[in-house]
Amino acid sequence: MSVLLARWRRPAPPLRLASVARTHVGRVRTVNEDRLLDRPDRGLWAIADGMGGHSAGDVAAQTAVAALAALADDDARITAATIATALHDAGARIAAGPAPGGTTIVALHLDGTTATVIWAGDSRCYLLRDGACRQLTRDHSVVQELVDAGLLDPADAARHPRGHVITRALGVQPAPDLARVTVEVRAGDALFLCSDGASRALVDRDFLPREPLDTAADRLLTAALQRDGSDNISLILVSLPDAAA
């Protein structure tokens, strides 16, 4: 009995959380092909960025987000496996559609203190902790491959002429090759999801000010629009406030 007691650990209490989402067509395009899911009640968030080079990018993005929304609406437990299955099924429906389409995807699931990020393409997720910004995802793109090979300076990646060329997406491959990362989070952390229309314009120092969540989301969206705005811009901020906040 003493051995069993020694191995038992009290489950960590659930973290308080809040989230806000923003999306904007940008200053150049006339159609917003981004779609968002903001379900703090189920600990599930996602951004899908429809591929602008395809005629049905917005439909592809909506298909991906709708598949995750169905998970959120179901009473069954959400896991990394159920998210991956939903995205694989969405990819198959997109690929079988009447018009060519594709979409990037980044999905975040919080289960207690465990954050799981699943993605394909160049939509991103960052962890904001103690005034520092850490990118959790790694772009599936030609530019990232050039950086990894030492052929391109990371500082020049955002403005590279092939910056929009991605190597993984839903709907353009027989079976999407999804990447996954899991991290432990704590009170005081925040997580930031965004499409490349935001990541191209924002830098780490943009995340340093501490302010109400809505104010932060508005500030980040405004900064992305003012500095670039050539693409649709979407972002989600998920905050895990300190107990005293």
Side-chain angles (χ1 to χ4, degrees):
M1 179 65 71
S2 60
V3 173
L4 291 176
L5 288 175
R7 292 180 178 176
W8 184 80
R9 294 290 185 273
R10 184 184 300 277
L15 295 172
R16 295 190 303 131
L17 61 86
S19 63
V20 295
R22 299 285 188 272
T23 189
H24 195 287
V25 70
R27 298 190 293 126
V28 175
R29 301 195 175 185
T30 58
V31 176
N32 191 343
E33 295 182 317
D34 291 356
R35 297 294 185 271
L36 291 77
L37 179 69
D38 180 20
R39 289 294 300 270
D41 59 310
R42 295 286 276 151
L44 185 62
W45 300 266
I47 292 178
D49 180 356
M51 295 171 61
H54 293 273
S55 58
D58 53 345
V59 176
Q62 181 60 37
T63 300
V65 166
L68 296 178
L71 284 183
D73 290 336
D74 197 315
D75 290 335
R77 180 169 177 256
I78 298 172
T79 66
T82 61
I83 293 171
T85 296
L87 293 178
H88 277 91
D89 291 346
R93 289 195 297 274
I94 295 166
T103 183
T104 71
I105 187 72
V106 59
L108 166 67
H109 180 234
L110 275 177
D111 184 5
T113 61
T114 301
T116 301
V117 184
I118 297 176
W119 78 98
D122 58 0
S123 292
R124 295 180 179 179
C125 181
Y126 297 85
L127 173 65
L128 314 178
R129 174 179 290 171
D130 298 333
C133 177
R134 172 188 167 197
Q135 184 177 333
L136 299 178
T137 54
R138 191 169 190 81
D139 293 351
H140 301 135
S141 67
V142 169
V143 165
Q144 186 62 58
E145 291 179 352
L146 292 173
V147 171
D148 292 344
L151 301 175
L152 180 66
D153 190 303
D156 299 325
R159 301 298 173 185
H160 192 276
R162 300 190 70 191
H164 292 287
V165 182
I166 60 174
T167 56
R168 299 190 201 179
L170 300 184
V172 298
Q173 298 157 316
D177 189 4
L178 300 170
R180 181 190 307 179
V181 65
T182 300
V183 296
E184 290 299 308
V185 294
R186 64 194 189 205
D189 287 349
L191 293 138
F192 180 72
L193 284 73
C194 66
S195 62
D196 67 329
S199 61
R200 190 182 307 117
L202 300 175
V203 295
D204 288 2
R205 64 176 178 273
D206 292 319
F207 303 107
L208 296 181
R210 298 299 296 267
E211 61 214 316
L213 207 57
D214 277 299
T215 304
D218 289 339
R219 176 177 56 79
L220 292 168
L221 176 60
T222 298
L225 279 168
Q226 290 177 343
R227 295 174 193 169
D228 187 89
S230 62
D231 198 357
N232 306 149
I233 299 169
S234 294
L235 58 91
I236 299 174
L237 266 172
V238 181
S239 175
L240 309 171
D242 289 313

